Amino acid sequence: QKNSLRHFVFHSVLHPQVKVMTHHWNKLQVEALLFESGLGYTILQPAAYMQNVLGYWQKMVDDGIYAVPYSVDAQFSMVDLDDLGQAAARVIREGKAHYQAIYECCGVQILTNNEIAECVSAVIGRQVKAVALDRGEWANSMRAKGAAENTISTLLGMFEYYDQYGFAGNGNVLTWLLGRTPARFEEFLNRSKPSNR
């Protein structure tokens, strides 16, 4: 029986070619299978989500610290999930026009963790400092919380990569998909910040 699936949209990740980030590398293997599948496919490769920063929010509000287990000078692209959702909706809606396409989905800014902390400082009205956590201490704290060793080692590989190379892409493709400039980080924060307790 002929496969009735016409369009497979795969949520991959920015730079899946990086083997040391094994959870990214695994997505590259899925991309390779799509090439051989005979399906009409579109691959979306999003950068880190702006929403991830909200997980650090209360610590930034309470203590003025944005603590990450990699360099505060590493450079990152981010994407607002709202923008990613709109881009995905266009791809799904327009279908065949996006077959056999691979789209990087990044915002237009490349920010260091220091600059991320500065943006948060401006929004919450108190000084926030980016601090690099010791990765060994981070790993021990994760073990104490019951995290699996495979999870810890996977994330440590990612953090070590971030420490050396950052995680930056280009915002041109997402700009085209949206028909406008993607949200800047400051815009996202002003729209999405939780109420301070």
Side-chain angles (χ1 to χ4, degrees), residues 54-74:
L54 299 180
Y56 301 84
W57 193 262
Q58 205 58 50
K59 181 79 171 171
M60 292 190 284
V61 169
D62 292 345
D63 302 329
I65 298 295
Y66 176 50
V68 291
Y70 39 87
S71 171
V72 296
D73 297 312

Side-chain angles (χ1 to χ4, degrees), residues 20-24 56 67-72 74 76 113 133-136 138-139 141-142 151-167:
V20 71
M21 294 195 285
T22 54
H23 55 311
H24 291 203
Y56 301 84
V68 291
Y70 39 87
S71 171
V72 296
F76 291 88
N113 290 303
L133 294 172
D134 177 89
R135 282 193 287 278
W138 174 88
S141 72
M142 291 295 288
T151 299
I152 294 169
S153 64
T154 297
L155 291 173
L156 284 173
M158 182 176 72
F159 297 153
E160 288 165 12
Y161 184 86
Y162 284 175
D163 203 57
Q164 294 183 62
Y165 306 110
F167 192 55

Side-chain angles (χ1 to χ4, degrees), residues 82-102:
D82 288 352
D83 285 347
L84 180 60
Q86 288 177 38
R90 177 182 175 185
V91 165
I92 293 167
R93 185 175 62 249
E94 295 179 356
K96 196 169 185 177
H98 301 280
Y99 283 11
Q100 276 57 48
I102 301 176

Side-chain angles (χ1 to χ4, degrees), residues 2-22:
K2 188 175 179 181
N3 191 333
S4 62
L5 179 64
R6 290 180 295 176
H7 190 190
F8 192 103
V9 180
F10 179 52
H11 182 287
S12 185
V13 67
L14 183 68
H15 301 169
Q17 303 91 339
V18 180
K19 194 169 186 178
V20 71
M21 294 195 285
T22 54

Side-chain angles (χ1 to χ4, degrees), residues 26-91:
N26 289 339
K27 291 195 172 190
L28 184 66
Q29 311 317 303
V30 176
E31 293 187 16
L33 291 172
L34 284 174
F35 300 157
E36 301 169 1
S37 69
L39 295 171
Y41 64 81
T42 308
I43 297 168
L44 303 178
Q45 297 178 332
Y49 307 137
M50 292 181 184
Q51 281 77 359
N52 292 350
V53 174
L54 299 180
Y56 301 84
W57 193 262
Q58 205 58 50
K59 181 79 171 171
M60 292 190 284
V61 169
D62 292 345
D63 302 329
I65 298 295
Y66 176 50
V68 291
Y70 39 87
S71 171
V72 296
D73 297 312
Q75 295 187 317
F76 291 88
S77 293
M78 293 186 288
V79 63
D80 181 356
L81 276 170
D82 288 352
D83 285 347
L84 180 60
Q86 288 177 38
R90 177 182 175 185
V91 165

